[in-house]
Amino acid sequence: MENINMKQGTLPSSIPARSRLQEWTSTLLAPVTLGLALLLGLQLAAALLLGAGGNGTLNPTAADTALLPFDAKTVTAVRIEGGGQSALLARGDKGWLIADLGDFPADGAKIDQLLEKLAALKRPLPVATSREALKRHKVADEGFERKITLESGDTPLAALLLGDSPGFKRQLVRVGGESAVYDVELPLFEVSNRHDDWLTRDQLQVDQEQIKRISAADWTLIKGQDGWQLEGTDEKPDAAAVTNLLGRISSLSYRGVLGTQNQPEYNQAAPTLDLRLQLADGSTREYRISKVKDGADSVLKVADRPWYFKLSDMDLDGLVDVTRDQLLGKAPAAAAQDAGNLPAGGEAAVAEELTPTMEETAEPLPDQVPVVDDVNQPQPGSEPPR
């Protein structure tokens, strides 16, 4: 029986422990076992070499690595392009400017917010890497939705290409010079390539208390010790009209900036309003407002500034149509013109025409109530007609 057990490859319980240890040792030293152990050791060594830093600690994982490693404080220019439009935002001595719009003041807080968001982006696992995928997701060098280039002086710091949106407030992006496509939280509307989306909106505003004189073509308001006075008359101007005018001027807004070059379609040679302000510090501000040819917008030019502002009718409401009579609290010009077309007898005749007569308004008397035809009506005590 003992010989049978040995042939079947089993160790009888009577074999000493020393023999069993020799059997296990020979098995572990077999070529196959040594090869597997060596392969495992190589894998562990490779992992340690790739993951260990100089100080013996592991480097950050991919999810903790910055997508664009740059210092926001060193950025001096942000170039945003795409769709045939571009905007160059540059850091000036007094803040951010739109360099390709005549250095018009930009919304610095909005630009700083964009830089902070870009610096906070982390590098997730890529969703694609092939050249075909770059074109499909619109992040290729020759076809993209947006491209952001960060510069420090003449040195490029980083570039990011934005493509399709896989979901709400998310964008597929690719770092310039790399092939991996990532899905990050960066809405496309926060990376606008339009100048108007980066403008400051306060360039026409003025402190109401600083305005001392307002002049138009046919009227001039002067602020004296006793308040506002309309030049050329002893009549006191209407307080509500003056307050409304001051409010319109001090908070004047605009829809956009057209640039620094005058164009024939701006129609500045035929202005709808020339307005001159004199301020408490002795400075003046002159506005020329004109209606765009074949358009609904208006153009405003400040005499001592290079830019042409685009304004809507809402921006100019209560400003371009102000008249001397309105400032005095009298009837508007249109109403005065209608008054000149009254029939003979003037207002009394109009009132007489509009006043209804007694016959038109009087209630009918009881004996004037129409009698209902009662030919076919049954009489009391009689049978109804058959």
Side-chain angles (χ1 to χ4, degrees), residues 145-347:
E145 292 292 338
R146 294 284 189 278
K147 182 179 180 180
I148 309 172
T149 304
L150 307 180
E151 302 173 0
S152 178
D154 297 330
T155 304
L157 294 178
L160 187 68
L161 295 92
L162 286 71
D164 285 335
S165 173
F168 180 64
K169 289 187 176 183
R170 305 200 65 82
Q171 214 72 33
L172 295 178
V173 301
R174 179 175 69 87
V175 178
E178 299 183 8
S179 60
V181 181
Y182 302 101
D183 179 359
V184 300
E185 184 176 350
L186 184 63
L188 194 64
F189 65 83
E190 293 185 2
V191 192
S192 175
N193 56 348
R194 299 175 62 250
H195 292 145
D196 289 350
D197 292 332
W198 299 102
L199 301 172
T200 54
R201 299 290 174 175
D202 59 354
Q203 292 301 296
L204 296 181
Q205 296 179 7
V206 59
D207 186 358
Q208 192 173 135
E209 297 298 325
Q210 298 298 313
I211 302 176
K212 299 300 180 184
R213 185 185 181 100
I214 311 172
S215 300
D218 60 346
W219 54 265
T220 297
L221 278 172
I222 303 173
K223 186 177 183 180
Q225 295 181 351
D226 298 330
W228 288 96
Q229 185 67 37
L230 191 62
E231 190 176 59
T233 180
D234 294 333
E235 295 184 68
K236 196 72 174 175
D238 182 70
V242 173
T243 300
N244 181 66
L245 177 63
L246 289 171
R248 290 291 182 178
I249 294 175
S250 62
S251 61
L252 189 58
S253 59
Y254 45 92
R255 292 293 177 266
V257 176
L258 300 171
T260 59
Q261 298 296 322
N262 189 14
Q263 302 296 334
E265 58 267 24
Y266 296 168
N267 207 21
Q268 283 277 291
T272 56
L273 176 65
D274 280 322
L275 199 66
R276 179 185 175 90
L277 308 179
Q278 183 173 333
L279 306 181
D281 60 1
S283 63
T284 60
R285 184 176 292 189
E286 298 180 14
Y287 297 152
R288 168 160 286 197
I289 303 172
S290 59
K291 196 74 173 178
V292 175
K293 292 181 179 179
D294 302 325
D297 295 324
S298 294
V299 176
L300 182 148
K301 177 67 171 64
V302 186
D304 60 348
R305 299 186 184 184
W307 308 289
Y308 290 83
F309 296 84
K310 179 175 67 175
L311 286 75
S312 68
D313 290 341
M314 183 179 298
D315 297 322
L316 296 172
D317 184 36
L319 183 59
V320 296
D321 53 355
V322 174
T323 65
R324 186 181 183 87
D325 286 341
Q326 287 177 324
L327 293 174
L328 290 173
K330 298 181 179 180
Q337 182 178 358
D338 294 339
N341 298 326
L342 293 176
E347 296 180 1

Side-chain angles (χ1 to χ4, degrees), residues 109-121:
K110 192 173 182 180
I111 299 174
D112 290 337
Q113 184 178 4
L114 174 62
L115 291 177
E116 292 175 3
K117 178 164 288 189
L118 292 175
L121 291 177

Side-chain angles (χ1 to χ4, degrees), residues 76 90-97 103:
T76 59
R91 195 192 299 268
D93 295 336
K94 298 182 180 180
W96 286 97
L97 306 170
D103 286 345

Side-chain angles (χ1 to χ4, degrees), residues 1-40:
M1 181 65 69
E2 182 177 347
N3 292 334
I4 295 176
N5 289 337
M6 293 296 295
K7 290 181 180 181
Q8 291 178 348
T10 60
L11 294 175
S13 57
S14 60
I15 296 178
R18 186 184 185 95
S19 299
R20 290 199 297 269
L21 179 59
Q22 291 176 349
E23 290 290 338
W24 279 110
T25 303
S26 62
T27 303
L28 291 175
L29 294 177
V32 175
T33 306
L34 291 175
L36 292 175
L38 179 61
L39 180 61
L40 178 60

